[in-house]
Amino acid sequence: MYKIFLYDGTFEGFMCAAFHIISEGIDKDRAIIVSKDEYQPMFIDSVREIQNDFKTFLEMRKGIIEKADSNVFKKIYYAFLSDTKDKEGYILRYLFLLLTHGKKIKYLYSNDIVNAVEKMAKNVSREIGKYMGLMRFCDTDEGFLYAKFEPKNDIIKPIAYFFKNRLNEFCWVVHDVKRNKIAIYDKKRVQFLTCSNLKLEATQQDEMFQMLWKTYFKAMAIEERKNLKLQQQNMPKRYWKYLVEKN
Amino acid sequence: MDIFEKLEVLGAAAKYDVSCASSGSKREKHFGIGSTFSAGICHSWTDDGRCISLLKVLFTNECIFDCAYCINRRSNDIKRATFTPQEVAELTINFYKRNYIEGLFLSSAIKNSPDWTMEMLFRTVWLLRYKYQFNGYIHVKAIPYASLDLIRKTGFLADRMSVNIELPSEKSLRLLCPNKTKESILKPMEFITKVAEEEKNFVSAGQSTQMIIGATDDSDYKIINLSRHLYKKFKLKRVYYSAYTPVNHDPRILKVDSPPLLREHRLYQADWLIRVYNFSADELFKSKDENLDLEVDPKVMWALRNLDRFPIEVNRASYEELIRVPGIGIKSARRIIKNRIFHSLDFEDLKKMGVVLKRAKYFITCNGKTFERYLIDLPPEKIKQKLIDKNSLQRPQQLSFFDREVFTSVITGEI
């Protein structure tokens, strides 16, 4: 029989669930961590709901950083943001490996779990890197900047913290259209909310700058070097939907 | 002329300038709009596949000089435009806050006089930094013959400055740029290096330069050797190579039908080997008139000429030996060194560490064994045939390649 641990879908909540499994000595191959929203009840399972407790989370974080380092912790966090199916299972097993191998976990390239977690984290960090440049804000009548995107992974948090530093002098909203999540920044702090119908329009002045940007984008291409394949390799089509210069 | 038309003319006029980096700034942050990002960020890619990270424009394309290779030369009959400092500053701020760009790259033709032009560049950057409190990345050109005092004032406001070396030899410069001398380029370059060494917050992301490839008969050896000299003497951060696009018909220029992109790509690879992999120019070239092999990358070219040094044993070789193997990069070499402490490595392990066995297999052994038995004693021509980079012959990669490599490694924290 499997032991199901339900958590609230957040990284902190997931870490709390992992903490219970590790500290209670539960067999990792019998434990399943799954988000409350995604769980479909099966009567043969034993189900426990784990509360999200920030102190427990901090303890886990401290433990991981002591056992390995903050890079490994960041890797785990990024892997958690991945849209991979059963990411919880991979990360849980990764945490168990971390307990036995400590710092050395970074060099276990041939281990399938380590490999999978590395890949997930890399995919997430690539997508964050791309969106740092490919996010497009517009001016709205409400007086704040507004950007839509549909990332593959759930990266609104790291993206928002990047723009908190970058666009610190403006109020802005970043909107993950696929997940109905928004991040709002009011020149002081970022808040994360869910939101299903948000309609914001660009101002007329903004449209002028969109036109200017398109003009510039076109002027910069060198006809003799045209290479649309290379362009697409660097800027895959799935990013184009909200790109001013591609619409 | 409205701002749309100016942007079109002065954007198009700047597109042949290939520098695109927005990385490495260490300027202290003040209050104000924006920030720089140490790894640099690409914001878009043009139809030719080059990345856009900065608003790259000329301040003006009206030029009193008449360089043979330049689209903006005095004797060309083209549409001319000149921005005002206010216009450039407003475009920059408005593009920046919409996250279209990482900052400004401001270059210029020489209008009225070098000092007038430099003064305009200074005023533009001053407006951005002081009126708009702009904290993003600014790369600005130092104009040959401009007063050093103006260059100095501008350098304190910029992240990066560059003077274009233009051509790989003095002879070529004399032939194609009648108005510029070697001194007019090297003097400001040297000045910037000197001030940057003495003063804090002066061009904190360093200095770069650019040269045109393929408009003259200079060999790759000459080009790479000049670069090495520039890196050493002026501590340049980057030398950019720009495959010459035939924009003018001028008998002084070598006839080219299309820009030599593959040659440009090989030069970047060789430049990279010298800066990062500790190769010397003399190792890569046998003679001064020699060019790089277009069919294979320079590391393969070097390895094939030095087959007596191979195969090397992966489980014993030093880091320096490992990085010289085609198919083994900095990252995989480091992984090999760290990992073989735990257990001896086989080919399967190498694959997982990112070694490109397709290339490396001719040059390495694992525990005394070669990848396949027949690989022992293959003649260099046979190996070369198998390693010819067919992809790159058809579709040359372009320069953003290297910036991207550094960029992804930094954000994944893996260097």
Side-chain angles (χ1 to χ4, degrees):
Chain A
M1 200 170 82
Y2 287 105
K3 292 189 170 156
I4 309 281
F5 291 79
L6 298 182
Y7 76 108
D8 61 359
T10 66
F11 180 56
E12 292 79 8
F14 166 77
M15 284 302 224
C16 293
F19 174 83
H20 282 283
I21 294 167
I22 293 168
S23 63
E24 291 169 25
I26 294 165
D27 180 359
K28 66 178 189 308
D29 296 320
R30 295 245 150 250
I32 293 175
I33 307 179
V34 58
S35 163
K36 265 190 297 198
D37 307 332
E38 278 163 35
Y39 174 61
Q40 287 156 351
M42 294 252 280
F43 63 92
I44 49 166
D45 301 328
S46 94
V47 181
R48 244 169 90 184
E49 191 169 334
I50 301 296
Q51 292 309 313
N52 182 345
D53 169 37
F54 200 64
K55 253 168 87 184
T56 309
F57 165 72
L58 289 180
E59 212 173 300
M60 275 294 277
R61 187 176 76 173
K62 201 173 140 226
I64 292 169
I65 293 173
E66 270 169 17
K67 269 254 158 204
D69 55 42
S70 53
N71 275 336
V72 167
F73 179 77
K74 193 174 160 196
K75 202 170 276 174
I76 293 170
Y77 174 53
Y78 276 12
F80 179 80
L81 299 179
S82 160
D83 74 337
T84 309
K85 228 179 142 231
D86 195 29
K87 61 183 181 192
E88 291 94 344
Y90 285 112
I91 301 172
L92 180 66
R93 279 167 184 75
Y94 186 86
L95 289 171
F96 272 93
L97 282 170
L98 187 63
L99 282 176
T100 25
H101 297 283
K103 271 186 181 33
K104 276 190 239 160
I105 194 159
K106 288 197 273 187
Y107 311 123
L108 300 178
Y109 300 107
S110 34
N111 184 295
D112 291 339
I113 298 289
V114 176
N115 224 307
V117 169
E118 293 267 352
K119 264 200 194 121
M120 284 149 64
K122 200 171 220 166
N123 188 283
V124 168
S125 108
R126 283 226 173 102
E127 195 178 29
I128 294 170
K130 278 276 190 239
Y131 271 117
M132 284 176 179
L134 293 176
M135 203 71 109
R136 295 288 175 262
F137 287 85
C138 66
D139 243 332
T140 63
D141 287 325
E142 282 75 5
F144 47 78
L145 296 167
Y146 175 54
K148 285 191 272 196
F149 72 147
E150 288 178 40
K152 216 166 101 241
N153 304 295
D154 190 8
I155 55 172
I156 195 165
K157 273 196 180 174
I159 284 293
Y161 286 119
F162 171 74
F163 285 109
K164 181 179 179 226
N165 181 39
R166 170 57 55 94
L167 299 176
N168 54 337
E169 294 281 300
F170 303 94
C171 294
W172 48 255
V173 174
V174 168
H175 184 183
D176 179 340
V177 178
K178 199 162 99 186
R179 296 175 182 78
N180 292 321
K181 286 185 176 179
I182 59 171
I184 299 187
Y185 173 70
D186 60 1
K187 295 196 197 178
K188 286 192 198 78
R189 63 197 185 111
V190 190
Q191 272 180 294
F192 297 95
L193 305 165
T194 50
C195 155
S196 54
N197 83 62
L198 185 67
K199 266 222 149 70
L200 291 164
E201 300 289 326
T203 60
Q204 259 184 8
Q205 203 216 11
D206 192 86
E207 276 163 21
M208 184 186 89
F209 282 107
Q210 292 185 24
M211 288 304 292
L212 278 165
W213 175 240
K214 285 184 194 186
T215 306
Y216 177 72
F217 181 77
K218 241 166 90 194
M220 285 311 283
I222 298 178
E223 184 58 31
E224 293 87 339
R225 298 176 76 137
K226 199 165 185 174
N227 190 346
L228 294 172
K229 205 172 139 196
L230 182 60
Q231 178 190 43
Q232 223 186 100
Q233 201 176 305
N234 287 317
M235 191 164 72
K237 273 213 164 122
R238 64 188 176 91
Y239 293 98
W240 290 12
K241 192 166 168 191
Y242 299 111
L243 279 181
V244 171
E245 61 270 34
K246 277 289 170 194
N247 287 295
Chain B
M1 193 184 269
D2 71 3
I3 189 75
F4 280 91
E5 209 174 335
K6 281 190 185 179
L7 184 60
E8 197 176 356
V9 171
L10 294 168
K15 70 186 171 189
Y16 300 106
D17 215 309
V18 289
S19 156
C20 71
S22 58
S23 58
S25 180
K26 290 189 278 290
R27 198 167 31 84
E28 276 164 22
K29 190 178 157 81
H30 314 279
F31 293 104
I33 294 172
S35 61
T36 54
F37 190 71
S38 68
I41 295 176
C42 298
H43 285 255
S44 195
W45 280 267
T46 58
D47 287 353
D48 54 49
R50 294 178 311 150
C51 92
I52 300 179
S53 77
L54 304 170
L55 170 63
K56 194 188 289 175
V57 288
L58 296 193
F59 186 81
T60 176
N61 68 344
E62 289 182 49
C63 202
I64 54 174
F65 283 8
D66 206 33
C67 304
Y69 53 80
C70 183
I71 183 85
N72 301 313
R73 62 177 176 174
R74 191 182 55 213
S75 54
N76 276 5
D77 181 21
I78 54 165
K79 202 193 263 183
R80 306 282 177 173
T82 302
F83 277 126
T84 65
Q86 183 71 23
E87 284 168 337
V88 178
E90 268 185 28
L91 277 173
T92 308
I93 288 292
N94 276 292
F95 281 4
Y96 186 84
K97 76 176 203 190
R98 289 169 175 79
N99 206 41
Y100 298 166
I101 52 167
E102 195 63 12
L104 174 67
F105 177 109
L106 188 59
S107 180
S108 187
I110 301 173
K111 184 180 173 177
N112 299 339
S113 72
D115 273 355
W116 183 90
T117 310
M118 198 65 226
E119 173 81 37
M120 286 298 136
L121 301 188
F122 168 72
R123 281 198 206 173
T124 308
V125 180
W126 191 92
L127 268 183
L128 270 167
R129 292 289 193 224
Y130 288 105
K131 186 176 166 203
Y132 293 94
Q133 305 268 306
F134 178 64
N135 247 322
Y137 193 91
I138 297 179
H139 179 158
V140 59
K141 287 279 168 198
I143 303 293
Y145 300 109
S147 90
L148 295 181
D149 191 48
L150 267 172
I151 290 176
R152 187 187 162 91
K153 272 160 64 181
T154 313
F156 280 108
L157 301 174
D159 295 276
R160 175 167 285 188
M161 264 187 129
S162 57
V163 193
N164 285 352
I165 192 109
E166 310 288 14
L167 294 160
S169 67
E170 200 179 354
K171 187 185 113 222
S172 302
L173 192 69
R174 234 178 296 144
L175 180 70
L176 300 186
C177 299
N179 307 97
K180 284 182 191 163
T181 59
K182 191 175 139 201
E183 283 67 39
S184 72
I185 292 165
L186 296 183
K187 203 171 116 199
M189 204 181 259
E190 190 173 12
F191 176 74
I192 293 168
T193 310
K194 198 175 132 253
V195 183
E197 268 171 9
E198 290 164 358
E199 309 267 1
K200 230 176 129 192
N201 275 344
F202 182 85
V203 295
S204 79
Q207 194 185 171
S208 65
T209 193
Q210 153 169 327
M211 67 176 96
I212 295 160
I213 303 309
T216 55
D217 62 0
D218 300 289
S219 69
D220 288 347
Y221 173 83
K222 261 195 198 148
I223 293 167
I224 288 296
N225 214 29
L226 172 63
S227 296
R228 197 186 51 101
H229 193 72
L230 293 171
Y231 286 128
K232 223 171 118 190
K233 183 153 186 226
F234 300 115
K235 305 193 172 53
L236 295 191
K237 281 277 156 21
R238 284 289 295 271
V239 174
Y240 290 93
Y241 306 97
S242 167
Y244 182 64
T245 308
V247 289
N248 295 332
H249 296 285
D250 190 302
R252 289 169 291 174
I253 300 174
L254 281 192
K255 215 174 136 28
V256 282
D257 299 324
S258 60
L261 294 181
L262 185 55
R263 184 175 178 205
E264 176 191 285
H265 179 53
R266 293 283 179 244
L267 281 166
Y268 276 110
Q269 289 177 315
D271 184 282
W272 191 252
L273 287 183
I274 286 173
R275 277 188 301 141
V276 185
Y277 286 75
N278 282 327
F279 277 83
S280 73
D282 291 328
E283 278 177 296
L284 289 177
F285 300 90
K286 274 189 292 201
S287 82
K288 296 190 177 199
D289 300 319
E290 200 180 4
N291 289 317
L292 293 164
D293 193 331
L294 292 181
E295 290 183 317
V296 291
D297 72 60
K299 209 205 243 182
V300 170
M301 179 188 88
W302 173 83
L304 291 177
R305 274 184 200 161
N306 292 279
L307 271 184
D308 54 311
R309 298 178 177 223
F310 297 102
I312 66 153
E313 170 54 46
V314 169
N315 285 297
R316 276 194 308 273
S318 67
Y319 172 77
E320 287 72 24
E321 286 170 321
L322 284 171
I323 57 172
R324 288 184 164 232
V325 177
I328 299 182
I330 298 279
K331 225 196 263 183
S332 43
R334 286 192 189 155
R335 286 179 170 176
I336 288 169
I337 300 272
K338 280 186 175 160
N339 219 335
R340 68 186 183 190
I341 303 168
F342 305 122
H343 60 93
S344 86
L345 307 176
D346 57 29
F347 286 101
E348 199 47 38
D349 294 323
L350 294 184
K351 215 174 178 173
K352 284 181 177 153
M353 283 174 209
V355 172
V356 186
L357 281 180
K358 204 175 91 188
R359 287 205 292 283
K361 65 183 179 185
Y362 303 98
F363 307 100
I364 52 173
T365 57
C366 279
N367 301 313
K369 292 194 198 77
T370 51
F371 186 67
E372 285 146 4
R373 200 147 34 125
Y374 73 87
L375 292 180
I376 304 170
D377 296 333
L378 272 184
E381 313 80 61
K382 265 259 163 64
I383 302 178
K384 186 176 165 182
Q385 275 314 311
K386 290 181 193 289
L387 288 181
I388 283 182
D389 184 356
K390 293 190 192 76
N391 259 343
S392 132
L393 283 176
Q394 290 157 357
R395 279 223 170 266
Q397 289 271 318
Q398 291 179 4
L399 64 135
S400 56
F401 182 68
F402 298 117
D403 279 336
R404 196 169 64 238
E405 187 172 312
V406 173
F407 173 61
T408 39
S409 322
V410 173
I411 59 171
T412 50
E414 261 182 68
I415 274 202

